[in-house]
Amino acid sequence: MATTFHFSTNLTKTASFPPCNSITAFITLPSKNSKTLLIRTAVNSRAKSFNLKKKLLSVNCVAEHKLQDPGSQQQQKEATDSLSSVTPDATSIASSIKYHAEFTPMFSRENFELPQAFFATAQSVRDALIINWNATYDYYEKLNVKQAYYLSMEFLQGRALLNAIGNLELTGPYAEALSKLGYRLEDVACQEPDAALGNGGLGRLASCFLDSLATLNYPAWGYGLRYKYGLFKQLITKDGQEEVAEDWLEMGNPWEIVRNDITYPVKFFGKVVTGSDGKKHWIGGEDASAVAHDVPIPGYKTKTTINLRLWSTKAASEEFDLYAFNSGRHTEAYEALANAEKICYILYPGDDSIEGKVLRLKQQYTLCSASLQDIIARFKRRSGATVNWEEFPEKVAVQMNDTHPTLCIPELLRILIDINGLSWKDAWNITQRTVAYTNHTVLPEALEKWSLDLMQKLLPRHVEIIEMIDEELIRTIIAEYGTADSDLLEKKLKEMRILDNVELPSEFADVLIKSKEADIPSEELQTSEEVENNNDGDEEEAVAKNDEIDESSIQDKKEELPEPVPEPPKLVRMANLCVVSGHAVNGVAEIHSEIVRDEVFNAFYKLWPDKFQNKTNGVTPRRWIRFCNPSLSKIITEWIGTEDWVLNTEKLAELRKFADNENLQVQWSEAKRNNKIKVAAFLKEKTGYSVSPDAMFDIQVKRIHEYKRQLLNVLGIVYRYKKMKEMSAAERKANFVPRVCIFGGKAFATYAQAKRIVKFITDVGATVNHDPEIGDLLKVIFVPDYNVSVAELLIPASELSQHISTAGMEASGTSNMKFAMNGCILIGTLDGANVEIREEVGSDNFFLFGAKAHEIAGLRKERAEGKFVPDPRFEEVKEYVRSGAFGPYNYDELIGSLEGNEGYGRADYFLVGKDFPSYIECQEKVDKAYRDQRTWTRMSILNTAGSYKFSSDRTIHEYARDIWNIEPVKLP
């Protein structure tokens, strides 16, 4: 098994190109004795130029020259040391792009079109990243610093080209270089597919964190899985959402470096045996190999470039059954290969079947096992001949992003105990000091619970370890609460145990029985002898009574016996396992962290209050304003007087003193309108609908889910449309501001109700957008296949953004931060980070509606008791939908979910009907405010000024200080 992790370009082993009137792609490095060292990019000055008309590529290189001796190691060191001190110009960059087009192609040289230009450009950027990348980890290795390892099932990176050259401060030179080659940078950048490694806010947060970690010079790694087909590509048809496989890897990925020498075994199934040495051995079963794919993540205005290591899976060649294949049994022949490879096919495979559940659990274990083996191999190498495991938590911090990486807890224990021979006590202590857990949800269905039987089959050794952790917890609970109050003890055990619906281990069962006996008054207790004597005395009487019971009454009693209650499933509660095993648990917004402490994990909070923290989420200001909104960024820099705000967002607050300045307001409005014009063109291209850039752009883009309440939004639009239809043209114009209502987001493939919501939005749009009476006064558009790149276009153009989840259900949200940062005004509930955004931007600059989090439970109880009285306007809207105004589709299931007082999928669990009146009244306030464009622009400026807190840089500083205990390490 290989454990090497260097990202070396092997400069000490590679011969340098000779001097040849050439231009180097990034750096020509003079050294004392050797002529010139070229890094992968020598191009002859006599090279033929691009034939831009035919787009045919022809580049003469240095084939006519012999490679010269690379010189001494000292000379090469001097050359390498000077790499980062030289800033490439447009000419050298153009030569680098030519070089990669000729010598590292992933396409035919006769077909150098835009996609090929992107690949060559990306590979030229990667050269620069690798140089800094090697230097970064070599320096960390030399200092042997503590590093943070961020484990996440999702990393929603988005396009990398503009972000990378922006962080390297090479946007201008690259634009000029591509211009020399006949291309526009923007056109080349648009050829890059979004990396399909995530779905929503969880993955985008992880990517923002990597950007901030690199920018702030923190030593860190990201670990994830390399999904071949992503989640899915979303198509919008007449039937609503359809899913097809993502094709993001069809042309290859120019950013990743495959590390075929860094592979780790991952085992499934099998059995556990005890060896003659008394150690546990996990044997047999199914084997796969995890292969590392590395993606460099550059920091902004720093040499620091950290690594995102993604794992793919494969089986060994010998697993291919050649005999079976030659016998015609082809499927059987490559079954083992297919089983291994499919682990990383898609993100979140459907889990309605046993096979789907097994595959999901395999994914989670693969991420944890491969990553921990890699981390431990690195720790051992840095430790040298003698490994002091007590130092492991002093060198390693593992952060679990939600419950998906929970299996890293038993896996770390397994590696420490079974492979490295540590005692349970020592291994448990090390694990607790190493891992930490970020909670991202309070939704019960998202707090993962796995079948104990399923996990027993797939990961038998890990179940044994989880049982040991559960026993440790039981001891702690008994020690804390004692045995005097049996009801309290039983309640705490039921609430807190990791294993749900599982009998207590035998050593503890007696404790609970004795505790219950202690609660019974002494006079009610009888010895077994007394019981026997009493029975003897009553025997004759009992027989006499029994004689009086006839057979018919016995039969009646048999018929009255209730149906046997099925045993509840035995489950492993992953969130409880995280809380018990980690040294820190954090929520991601103040209100969310309060709910985590006071409700979700209150019993644990009472036991370990110091474990619980809040770390309000943030977004990187580089990608989410500096690079995606250059026109607004330029205005901010001009008025603040410095570009330092990109690194120190606190400086954004200085915009407040200019909020009433007419010149700033004019510039601000022009930038916003220009962004809206771009979006209008994009919408026309993607959907065929034409929209007016003079209308308000009202946007809700996020994962489609009932709690996020896209349904509330679209029902509000239906109400608006119905009222418009009841008015004359003049009345419409007087009462309503023109709006373009934009939706985007994916519904999970098996989430029927969410898919109905997508269908409903598209049906409303089809009706409204083709209504000549309404015209540009109202447009409803669903953007297909919403992703990071679409967000980078929509967010700078947004004027109103909807964050309208049921209060207390959204952990934080991060898109709300991105919108506010770009001068968009939010309409929302007091949920997640909305609470803190409203505090920072000012209540006058936030449109608030809806029930509060502390009211939700009471409102649901009221509904269950039949006391809810719907607003007439809500009933009116539902009837309008049922009337067929938006086509023949049967919306009974969708609308029915908002009706009734109880039942799954009924009783309006997410309180759409309750908040509807407040919502439409708040929308009337939005219309009124938008009519006064001066006031609206002032509100927009103050939203950007108040967004300074929501930088992921601030969040990462807090994680580093309060949880990981790591320090910045700036390269010399």
Side-chain angles (χ1 to χ4, degrees), residues 452 466-467 470 493 497-502 571-573:
L452 180 62
I466 290 169
E467 288 172 344
D470 192 51
L493 289 169
R497 283 189 64 193
I498 296 161
L499 301 178
D500 193 20
N501 303 319
V502 175
L571 302 171
V572 182
R573 297 192 280 199

Side-chain angles (χ1 to χ4, degrees), residues 356-424:
K357 289 180 171 65
V358 168
L359 190 55
R360 275 210 192 187
L361 197 55
K362 279 185 172 183
Q363 285 188 339
Q364 295 187 6
Y365 179 61
T366 298
L367 168 65
C368 296
S369 181
S371 301
L372 280 169
Q373 289 182 71
D374 196 41
I375 292 166
I376 288 171
R378 189 171 306 113
F379 172 74
K380 283 184 172 181
R381 188 184 61 252
R382 286 187 291 166
S383 298
T386 305
V387 178
N388 181 357
W389 287 104
E390 272 300 306
E391 291 184 352
F392 189 76
E394 306 305 319
K395 299 297 181 183
V396 172
V398 174
Q399 189 70 33
M400 300 178 291
N401 192 30
D402 215 347
T403 53
H404 307 126
T406 304
L407 287 169
C408 73
I409 294 163
E411 176 67 357
L412 178 54
L413 285 161
R414 183 188 72 85
I415 294 172
L416 292 176
I417 296 169
D418 295 358
I419 298 175
N420 292 285
L422 274 69
S423 68
W424 165 261

Side-chain angles (χ1 to χ4, degrees), residues 143-157:
L143 298 181
N144 194 16
V145 295
K146 183 175 185 179
Q147 299 185 41
Y149 298 93
Y150 198 81
L151 273 62
S152 178
M153 285 292 284
E154 297 186 40
F155 285 93
L156 201 57
Q157 292 289 94

Side-chain angles (χ1 to χ4, degrees), residues 68-172:
Q68 296 182 347
D69 183 82
S72 69
Q73 290 187 358
Q74 178 61 30
Q75 290 170 338
Q76 292 179 63
K77 181 179 184 302
E78 291 170 0
T80 306
D81 288 345
S82 67
L83 283 171
S84 57
S85 62
V86 179
T87 302
D89 59 16
T91 304
S92 64
I93 288 171
S95 295
S96 171
I97 295 171
K98 288 181 181 180
Y99 171 84
H100 282 288
E102 180 75 6
F103 291 102
T104 55
M106 301 178 74
F107 47 85
S108 167
R109 66 193 292 272
E110 290 81 20
N111 187 31
F112 193 71
E113 300 291 344
L114 273 171
Q116 291 75 27
F118 158 69
F119 269 86
T121 302
Q123 287 167 327
S124 76
V125 177
R126 194 182 73 174
D127 286 347
L129 297 182
I130 288 175
I131 293 165
N132 287 340
W133 196 20
N134 288 335
T136 298
Y137 285 108
D138 284 346
Y139 194 57
Y140 294 166
E141 189 89 352
K142 178 182 176 182
L143 298 181
N144 194 16
V145 295
K146 183 175 185 179
Q147 299 185 41
Y149 298 93
Y150 198 81
L151 273 62
S152 178
M153 285 292 284
E154 297 186 40
F155 285 93
L156 201 57
Q157 292 289 94
R159 291 170 175 163
L161 179 58
L162 291 181
N163 192 74
I165 63 175
N167 278 0
L168 291 168
E169 300 181 88
L170 293 175
T171 303

Side-chain angles (χ1 to χ4, degrees), residues 224-243:
L225 296 180
R226 181 182 181 268
Y227 303 106
K228 186 173 182 179
Y229 301 115
L231 182 72
F232 58 80
K233 181 181 288 186
Q234 182 193 51
L235 305 179
I236 299 298
T237 70
K238 63 181 177 61
D239 297 316
Q241 171 181 296
E242 291 187 9
E243 306 88 23

Side-chain angles (χ1 to χ4, degrees), residues 634-703:
K634 185 178 179 182
I635 293 168
I636 293 169
T637 298
E638 177 187 335
W639 284 83
I640 292 178
T642 177
E643 200 178 42
D644 288 351
W645 60 269
V646 181
L647 285 169
N648 301 298
T649 51
E650 294 85 357
K651 291 184 179 293
L652 288 174
E654 294 181 23
L655 286 170
R656 287 171 174 156
K657 60 188 177 187
F658 305 117
D660 292 305
N661 187 289
E662 188 173 346
N663 291 331
L664 173 58
Q665 289 188 0
V666 169
Q667 292 178 23
W668 200 271
S669 297
E670 286 177 357
K672 182 68 73 174
R673 192 175 192 281
N674 289 336
N675 288 329
K676 290 168 69 178
I677 290 171
K678 292 177 186 176
V679 167
F682 167 78
L683 295 178
K684 177 67 176 175
E685 177 189 350
K686 290 294 181 182
T687 69
Y689 290 129
S690 298
V691 301
S692 169
D694 295 319
M696 178 202 298
F697 277 26
D698 171 353
I699 300 178
Q700 186 180 19
V701 282
K702 52 185 76 230
R703 180 166 51 96

Side-chain angles (χ1 to χ4, degrees), residues 303-323:
K303 296 177 188 176
T304 300
T305 302
I306 64 172
N307 189 32
L308 170 58
R309 177 157 285 177
L310 303 170
W311 302 105
S312 68
T313 44
K314 67 177 185 179
S317 300
E318 55 265 28
E319 295 289 342
F320 179 72
D321 190 336
L322 192 60
Y323 179 80

